[in-house]
């Protein structure tokens, strides 16, 4: 039963991610066949998107860094009440 739901989910996901033929004609060559709707209207759109990608990657890096190796070493730190380090 799980395999059935996974196959339906991934099939729907793969179909939903490809652009329809009408949208494909409106996209620039880089994005053709990937996204729906109108393409970027100027170079500022690309700058905004890449700035957000960079922001998300930096945030992800620091989130993982401080989850894996937090710098708090005090015995009464709140993390000790949540995670038992014994």
């Amino acid at each position: 039963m799980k395999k059935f739901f996974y196959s339906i989910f991934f099939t729907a996901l793969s179909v939903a991610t490809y652009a329809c033929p009408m949208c494909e004609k409106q996209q620039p060559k880089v994005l053709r066949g990937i996204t729906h709707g109108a393409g970027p209207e100027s170079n500022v759109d690309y700058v905004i998107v890449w700035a957000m990608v960079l922001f998300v990657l930096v945030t992800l890096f620091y989130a993982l860094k401080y989850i894996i190796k937090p710098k708090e070493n005090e015995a009464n730190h709140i993390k000790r009440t949540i995670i038992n380090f014994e």
Side-chain angles (χ1 to χ4, degrees), residues 59-83:
T59 305
L60 178 66
F61 169 76
Y62 280 110
L64 291 175
K65 177 181 173 184
Y66 288 120
I67 287 173
I68 293 170
K69 269 193 155 181
K71 305 240 179 183
E72 295 87 6
N73 295 324
E74 298 174 15
N76 63 349
H77 193 270
I78 192 166
K79 74 176 180 187
R80 306 252 183 227
T81 61
I82 299 169
I83 304 170

Side-chain angles (χ1 to χ4, degrees), residues 31 45-61:
L31 300 174
D45 293 341
Y46 288 111
V47 172
I48 292 169
V49 168
W50 283 111
M52 291 300 107
V53 167
L54 181 64
F55 178 76
V56 167
L57 290 176
V58 168
T59 305
L60 178 66
F61 169 76

Side-chain angles (χ1 to χ4, degrees), residues 23-54:
C23 292
E24 196 169 317
K25 292 177 185 176
Q26 297 175 354
Q27 296 293 333
K29 286 184 181 182
V30 176
L31 300 174
R32 195 161 288 161
I34 297 174
T35 60
H36 284 281
E41 295 180 8
S42 68
N43 288 339
V44 175
D45 293 341
Y46 288 111
V47 172
I48 292 169
V49 168
W50 283 111
M52 291 300 107
V53 167
L54 181 64

